[in-house]
Amino acid sequence: MKFLKVTYRLILGIIFLTSLGACLDELDIQTLGNEEEEPALVVEAVLTDELITQKVYLSRSSLRLDLETDTVYNPYIPLGSRPVDSVDMEGGATVRVLGDNGVEFNFTEGDEGTYLSNQPFALEMGVNYTLEIETGNGREYVSDPLSVQGKSQLTNVYAEKAVSDTGVEGVAIYVDSEPTQGNPQFYRYTFEETYKIVSPNWSSREFVLTNYDPCALPVPTYDLQVVEKEVENRVCYNTVPSTSIEQLSTSGASGSNISKHMVRFIGKDNFIISERYSILVQQQVQSADAYSFYETLDDFSQSDNVFSQIQPGPLYANVQRKDGTSEDVLGYVDAVGVSDRRLFFNFEDFFSEEELPPFPFDCNLTSIPESHPSYCSQFPEPNPCPESVIERVNIGTISYYSPYDEDLAPNATCPGPYIVVPRICGDCTLLGDNVEPDFWVEE
C-alpha cells in the first residue's frame, strides 16, 4: 500500500487555535508537524444517563493517507461508525469511570480500541465523573469533570412532506421535546436510519459453478447448474448511523420546550425511502463546552475555505496527562442525558400517486455467452463478445434471471441461453442484511 506523508498539521493547528479561541489552551506550534513524535492519543466517548453498556474508543492520530481509505483521524465521523482501518486503534489500555459519590466502573477491551463497561450503568444527575485511562505504555490520563446537565424527553418524532431550502421536494423529520430535570439548554441529535431493500430483478433460482478451468484446452471445462436458492436474498435491511453534526441551543429563548425541530431531510428521489423506512432519533442534552466544541467542528466542516478539504490537524480533548505533563490529546468525552424515539413510514404515505424512487444501480437485463475461448490457447482469436456467464459467475458479478428471451434482451450482441442481471440487482445482501431487525414492524 502506498502512503502519502502530509505536512499540513502546522497550518491547521493555527486555524483551530484561532477558531476555538479561549476554549483551548495554547499549544506550542513548533511541536506540530514533527513526524518523529508518537501519534497523539485520541479519546472519544459519549457517556449517558441510560442504563446501557457504555463505550470508550481509543486510537492514535495518523498522518498517512492511502489510495482507498482515508486513514487520517476524522472527528466528523461518529463514534464507532468509522471504517475499521480509518485510524490506528489503541489496544491494551486500562479504562475506568469514577464518580465523586464513590462509584467506580471498569471497562474491558472488546474489539481493538473499543472498551466496554463490565456492567451496564447510567450516569446520575448531580454527580461529577472522571474518565481515567492508563495506556499500554504506562501513561495515565484523566478527563475534566463530567456531569449530566439536564434531561429532556422526546415527546414526538414525526415526518411531514416538505420542500428543502434548495427547492427539493421530500420528507422532513421533526422532533418535539420537553425538559424534565435540570436546566437543559444545549442539545445534539444523532440518529440511526434503517431502510428496507427489495431486489428489483430477483429470481428464486441461481447459478452454481463448479469444476471451472478457464485454461483447459481446447475449451474451458466447467459444470454450471441453475438451482433453487437456499438463502433469502430478495428482501434486506440496511442500518446507517448519522454522520452530520446537528445541534440546537435554547439558551436565551423565552421557552425551554422544543417544537418542530428538523433533524433529517430526505429527498423524494432517495432510494432509502422507496420501500419502508425507519429512523431512531436520539436527543442528547449537552454541556455548554461540548456544544461549543461540536459547533466549531461543524462550522469548520462546512467552511468554503480551501483547507476544509483537508482533514483537521490537532484537536483538543477534555483529557490530559494525569501527571501534568504537556501532551496533545485529541477527541472529546461527553456526559449527556438522552432520550430516544423511533419512527416508521412508507413512501406512499407521502407520495401515493408517484412512482417509487429509482434503484440506484443500472439493472439492465442482458444475455451473454455461457462459455468463452480457453485462456491458454496458443493462437487466441479476438473475442468480440462480452465476458461469459461462467467468467462472471466465477467472480460474483451477475445473478440468474430467466432462460433467454429475446424480448427481455433485444440488444444482446452475443446472446446465450440465459438472461442475467448485475448481481446487486438480484441479490440484496450486497446492500444490507437479510435478517429482519428485532425492532422492525411492517405496518
Side-chain angles (χ1 to χ4, degrees), residues 160-172 174 262 265-266 351:
E160 294 182 359
K161 190 173 180 179
V163 177
S164 72
D165 293 339
T166 57
V168 176
E169 190 177 9
V171 178
Y174 301 100
M262 189 174 71
F265 178 85
I266 308 171
F351 307 103

Side-chain angles (χ1 to χ4, degrees), residues 15 39 86 118 248 331 363 394:
I15 291 174
S86 66
N118 291 350
L248 173 67
C363 290
N394 185 54

Side-chain angles (χ1 to χ4, degrees), residues 26-47:
E26 184 175 354
L27 175 69
D28 180 3
I29 62 174
Q30 292 180 357
T31 66
L32 299 178
N34 186 349
E35 297 179 0
E36 296 181 358
E37 289 186 353
E38 182 181 20
L41 179 67
V42 181
V43 183
E44 302 171 288
V46 176
L47 306 175

Side-chain angles (χ1 to χ4, degrees), residues 11 48 131 164 170 172 366:
I11 297 173
T48 78
L131 173 66
S164 72
T366 188

